[in-house]
Amino acid sequence: MNWSEFDFWLFLAGLGMFLFGMYHLESGLQGLAGKSFKRFLKNSTRTKFKGILSGTLVTAILQSSSLVTLLTLAFLSSGIISFQSSLGVVLGANLGTTVTAWLVASLGFKADIAGLSFPFLTIGILSYLFMENRPFLKNIGAFLVGFGLLFLGLDYMKDSIEELANHLDLASYSHFGLWVFLLIGLIITALIQSSSALIVIVLSALNANLIDIYQSTSMVIGASIGTTSTLLLASIKGTPDKKRLAWSNVIFKGIAGITTFLILEPMVDFTYNTLKISDPLMELVFLNTAINIIGIAMFFPILEPFGIYMSSKFKDVAPSKKCVYITHVTPEIVDIAFGALEKEMKHIFKLTQDFILDVLFLKDERRTGSLWLTVFGKGSDTLSKYTHLKLMEDEITEFYAQIQKQNLTENEAKLLTGYMNKIRALVDAAKNVKDIVPNIREMKNSEKKLDLDILRKLQHFTAGKLDELEEYYKIPEQQKALPYWQMEIESFYQELISYLYGQVEKKVPHGAMVSTMTNAIKKNISSLESLAVFVTEKNSMTNIFEEVTQK
């Protein structure tokens, strides 16, 4: 054939517009109702049936199975939904993506879609550019831009392929068998990372009689399998849960695709002869939907044992982490990442309090023992506890850097900065008391009354202030008491130092050096002051946190 007759650039421009349109369509919908969809997924995935239904509905609206899978992964990692429910959502998401094909087949080849796209593009672009301070209208603009580009790109692809159809005879390739078309669909989808775009290309080729219904259905099956590459590539350095979900998706689509490919000809004949669907375009989108329904029917009865089997895989690749809540949460879903950070901060705050009490030899079982015994077991030394906190700081810093790469709003950026200030305050508090471990032990082991008296005063004051500080942390409304609390700390410091110097002037015997005791007092007070910074930062962030996470 003469390839010069094929307007290659028109086809590529159409494909680019279609993909860019899908991006803006998804972006606009996320901005308009992204958190609503997240709440819907969170509350509607308690069973495998609800998971499938929710995945179908949300993907049908967002038109991005990758996005829905990412949301599902975040909820799975946070422990909000079970692994079996997440598998149901993935199955449903595969079915939800077929809506694009129905829309394109119903409208894209039945009307002047290029002329229809211009009003959407005009209104959308103006809204997107000039409504910067009106997020709702800007997101509507992004949606309209996406909608317009979607159909304008489709029109370009359709025109270029219709021209190609006049000069290309695929009959010469038919003797290779349908598996060649399946492979073509798989490879192209893996390259362009969009099964929706590939289906549009196939619909255009089918509409131009470039390929027949059997060949086009084979390509659609290949496209379904090819979409697994997105999550599979993303999971290479991911968490065990991400690997499990990615490979589960490969197994779902791989088995369903191979099965439907083996019964392809009977399926096509049944659709045409029994269901009387004579329009090739509608027949293709019906078969595309049927392929996904068959996949759901195959795995629905065995979803629980399959989930148990997959849960046993990839355990050896799980990284050893010290943090509890952020370890398996993806930073790409920002509000969930912030929720995990909030829980992590509360956990580290408790560990820091227990660390301070442990250094001061305060053995109140109500406050100490449980957390550190859980982490370390019996017989752990103080330095290992401090090292544990430092490692947690490193993990949070790395998580912070990953979140910072996302497209954050002004409030989200403020909240992220606030979390870093909080973790620094906690580590500073721990470091101050870590530095006085030898001082406290020397005072504890002293036989002199003054040494023990100073230590007891410090222990009693610190334990009481930590109790008060915990109440301030739990109840933000009590923040107004913090300035007085800090004044009491400063007052106690002056009183205890004056008491120590007064006893020394009276030549009261002491075992530890005066500098040892003053250093212990000063560092201990500095530790409490750092904790006060943490609580103040937490309380000042409460409103922003609620706005960002909508809790």
Side-chain angles (χ1 to χ4, degrees):
M1 64 158 288
N2 184 8
W3 282 95
S4 62
E5 301 292 338
F6 176 48
D7 194 337
F8 188 71
W9 291 112
L10 181 65
F11 173 79
L12 284 184
L15 178 60
M17 285 183 183
F18 184 88
L19 292 173
F20 198 53
M22 287 293 291
Y23 169 79
H24 276 287
L25 196 67
E26 175 188 320
S27 176
L29 283 169
Q30 274 189 268
L32 288 170
K35 289 175 182 174
S36 299
F37 289 128
K38 292 170 192 174
R39 287 197 298 271
F40 177 77
L41 268 181
K42 175 181 175 181
N43 298 325
S44 307
T45 53
R46 305 302 181 189
T47 66
K48 60 182 181 181
F49 177 77
K50 288 183 177 180
I52 292 172
L53 185 61
S54 301
T56 302
L57 292 175
V58 174
T59 308
I61 297 172
L62 287 181
Q63 277 306 291
S64 174
S65 58
S66 298
L67 173 64
V68 174
T69 303
L70 193 61
L71 288 172
T72 305
L73 178 64
F75 291 134
L76 172 63
S77 301
S78 303
I80 295 173
I81 63 175
S82 67
F83 186 64
Q84 280 80 6
S85 295
S86 71
L87 294 176
V89 175
V90 170
L91 281 174
N94 296 338
L95 180 60
T97 55
T98 63
V99 171
T100 300
W102 283 103
L103 187 64
V104 169
S106 301
L107 299 176
F109 295 91
K110 312 293 184 184
D112 178 18
I113 53 176
L116 184 67
S117 67
F118 295 142
F120 289 103
L121 286 171
T122 301
I123 299 172
I125 291 172
L126 291 175
S127 298
Y128 189 81
L129 291 178
F130 297 107
M131 295 296 174
E132 185 70 30
N133 297 324
R134 304 285 295 276
F136 179 77
L137 293 177
K138 182 177 180 179
N139 285 318
I140 288 179
F143 171 80
L144 293 176
V145 168
F147 197 77
L149 287 175
L150 201 72
F151 285 102
L152 186 60
L154 171 61
D155 190 67
Y156 284 177
M157 283 192 288
K158 183 179 70 171
D159 289 346
S160 63
I161 289 179
E162 284 176 350
E163 183 64 28
L164 177 64
N166 296 326
H167 304 279
L168 179 63
D169 181 16
L170 281 180
S172 58
Y173 299 96
S174 299
H175 67 277
F176 289 111
L178 295 177
W179 67 269
V180 172
F181 294 91
L182 182 144
L183 193 61
I184 291 172
L186 191 156
I187 293 172
I188 294 176
T189 303
L191 290 174
I192 65 178
Q193 293 291 294
S194 174
S195 62
S196 297
L198 190 278
I199 289 172
V200 168
I201 295 172
V202 173
L203 284 169
S204 300
L206 181 62
N207 183 65
N209 295 317
L210 196 61
I211 53 177
D212 62 30
I213 186 65
Y214 299 98
Q215 295 163 344
S216 59
T217 306
S218 298
M219 291 184 70
V220 166
I221 293 173
S224 178
I225 300 173
T227 56
T228 62
S229 63
T230 303
L231 191 57
L232 199 59
L233 289 172
S235 71
I236 290 175
K237 294 184 179 180
T239 63
D241 273 337
K242 196 165 189 175
K243 295 177 187 293
R244 292 177 192 124
L245 204 58
W247 280 103
S248 296
N249 196 33
V250 172
I251 293 170
F252 287 156
K253 291 193 172 184
I255 292 178
I258 293 170
T259 302
T260 52
F261 182 73
L262 293 175
I263 60 171
L264 175 61
E265 292 188 11
M267 280 179 61
V268 173
D269 294 340
F270 174 80
T271 305
Y272 183 78
N273 296 321
T274 305
L275 299 181
K276 304 298 182 183
I277 303 177
S278 57
D279 184 344
L281 298 179
M282 300 307 294
E283 186 176 5
L284 179 60
V285 295
F286 175 82
L287 289 169
N288 180 36
T289 305
I291 290 166
N292 286 283
I293 292 175
I294 289 172
I296 291 174
M298 290 176 64
F299 283 95
F300 184 81
I302 61 169
L303 211 53
E304 285 88 352
F306 179 77
I308 293 171
Y309 170 77
M310 291 303 295
S311 295
S312 66
K313 302 302 176 183
F314 303 108
K315 287 188 176 180
D316 56 329
V317 298
S320 176
K321 298 289 186 179
K322 303 302 179 185
C323 287
V324 176
Y325 298 100
I326 67 169
T327 302
H328 301 302
V329 173
T330 175
E332 295 169 17
I333 310 297
V334 175
D335 55 332
I336 295 177
F338 282 138
L341 273 173
E342 184 66 24
K343 292 179 181 177
E344 204 71 71
M345 291 298 164
K346 184 177 181 181
H347 177 64
I348 300 175
F349 178 50
K350 181 64 176 174
L351 286 178
T352 305
Q353 287 178 291
D354 287 350
F355 177 67
I356 293 170
L357 293 170
D358 191 48
V359 170
L360 292 177
F361 293 97
L362 290 163
K363 298 298 183 181
D364 183 350
E365 295 298 328
R366 169 180 62 88
R367 299 185 53 91
T368 60
S370 58
L371 274 175
W372 288 115
L373 285 175
T374 299
V375 175
F376 296 105
K378 294 183 179 180
S380 62
D381 64 283
T382 305
L383 182 59
S384 66
K385 298 176 182 179
Y386 176 72
T387 302
H388 183 87
L389 290 171
K390 287 291 293 179
L391 290 172
M392 293 179 83
E393 179 191 20
D394 289 344
E395 289 174 21
I396 289 175
T397 302
E398 182 180 347
F399 194 63
Y400 158 84
Q402 293 172 346
I403 297 178
Q404 206 172 33
K405 295 177 183 177
Q406 311 307 314
N407 186 20
L408 301 180
T409 65
E410 183 179 351
N411 276 343
E412 287 170 345
K414 287 181 181 178
L415 191 59
L416 189 58
T417 301
Y419 280 124
M420 291 311 297
N421 291 337
K422 287 171 68 174
I423 186 62
R424 291 189 190 103
L426 288 174
V427 174
D428 283 346
K431 183 181 185 305
N432 279 316
V433 293
K434 187 266 296 186
D435 291 343
I436 60 172
V437 167
N439 302 150
I440 297 296
R441 286 179 179 169
E442 185 177 350
M443 295 164 67
K444 174 72 174 176
N445 296 327
S446 174
E447 297 179 356
K448 303 299 182 182
K449 181 178 179 302
L450 179 58
D451 301 36
L452 296 174
D453 190 26
I454 294 293
L455 180 58
R456 278 193 296 268
K457 289 179 183 293
L458 200 57
Q459 288 173 326
H460 177 74
F461 180 81
T462 301
K465 288 304 170 189
L466 288 179
D467 282 334
E468 292 176 12
L469 201 59
E470 193 165 356
E471 288 302 312
Y472 296 150
Y473 182 80
K474 291 177 181 177
I475 308 172
E477 291 76 13
Q478 293 190 12
Q479 180 185 358
K480 57 181 179 293
L482 273 171
Y484 300 101
W485 186 86
Q486 291 168 305
M487 288 172 61
E488 290 175 3
I489 291 177
E490 180 62 27
S491 177
F492 171 79
Y493 170 72
Q494 297 295 342
E495 289 175 7
L496 192 56
I497 290 293
S498 297
Y499 173 77
L500 172 61
Y501 288 162
Q503 296 299 303
V504 170
E505 287 178 4
K506 294 177 182 178
K507 301 189 183 300
V508 174
H510 53 88
M513 296 178 63
V514 174
S515 61
T516 295
M517 290 186 278
T518 55
N519 187 58
I521 297 169
K522 186 178 186 307
K523 289 282 188 178
N524 195 84
I525 294 301
S526 296
S527 177
L528 291 175
E529 289 174 340
S530 294
L531 288 180
V533 171
F534 167 82
V535 173
T536 303
E537 188 72 36
K538 184 264 180 185
N539 289 334
S540 66
M541 290 163 55
T542 299
N543 292 335
I544 299 178
F545 176 78
E546 290 176 352
E547 181 180 337
V548 168
T549 60
Q550 289 193 356
K551 292 183 179 178

